[in-house]
Amino acid sequence: QVQLVESGGGMAQAGGSLRLSCAASGRIFSSYGMGWFRQAPGKERDFVAAISLSGGLTYYANSVKGRFTISRDNAKNTVYLQMNSLKPEDTAVYYCAADRGGGSRNRDDYDYWGQGTQVTVSS
């Protein structure tokens, strides 16, 4: 199976930036689409962004479009989420996930998940 480890979470002020990383191991990283999801307290785990196997296609939730950028470096087996113009509503635990398909907006399509990293944005 694929093992995923997120890092880069922390605290930021509204309008600030954070860069999340997700390091993968255990399988061929380039064979998986990758996604980022987030879960705020008391809420469901929601889609944030996804990227295709080669990185040529990206998808974003409307709430983060224009502010967040997903990317991947297959040579480093790592996927990133650059988070700019952060808002308090972005506060959540962020999870990366691997999809044996090409990458999806749907949580249930993902086969492997990281442990999550906390992002807290103050107003």
Side-chain angles (χ1 to χ4, degrees), residues 2 4 11 33 41 54 58 62 66 72 99 110:
V2 173
L4 304 172
M11 189 174 297
S54 65
T58 57
N62 289 336
R72 66 190 297 163
D99 175 18
Y110 287 83

Side-chain angles (χ1 to χ4, degrees), residues 4-8 18-24 29 34-37 48-52 55 58-60 67-83 94-97 117:
L4 304 172
V5 180
E6 301 97 333
S7 62
L18 288 171
R19 184 176 176 87
L20 306 183
S21 299
C22 176
F29 178 72
M34 299 295 297
W36 286 96
F37 291 75
V48 176
I51 189 166
S52 62
T58 57
Y59 310 90
Y60 298 95
R67 300 188 298 120
F68 292 7
T69 302
I70 188 171
S71 61
R72 66 190 297 163
D73 186 339
N74 288 347
K76 296 181 178 179
N77 290 349
T78 302
V79 63
Y80 305 95
L81 186 68
Q82 178 66 46
M83 308 165 65
Y94 283 70
Y95 299 87
C96 69
T117 185

Side-chain angles (χ1 to χ4, degrees), residues 24-42:
S25 63
R27 290 292 186 271
I28 301 174
F29 178 72
S30 60
S31 296
Y32 292 83
M34 299 295 297
W36 286 96
F37 291 75
R38 65 188 182 185
Q39 187 167 19

Side-chain angles (χ1 to χ4, degrees), residues 15-18 64 66-69 82-87 90:
S17 297
L18 288 171
V64 306
R67 300 188 298 120
F68 292 7
T69 302
Q82 178 66 46
M83 308 165 65
N84 298 329
S85 301
L86 284 164
K87 303 176 180 179
D90 297 319

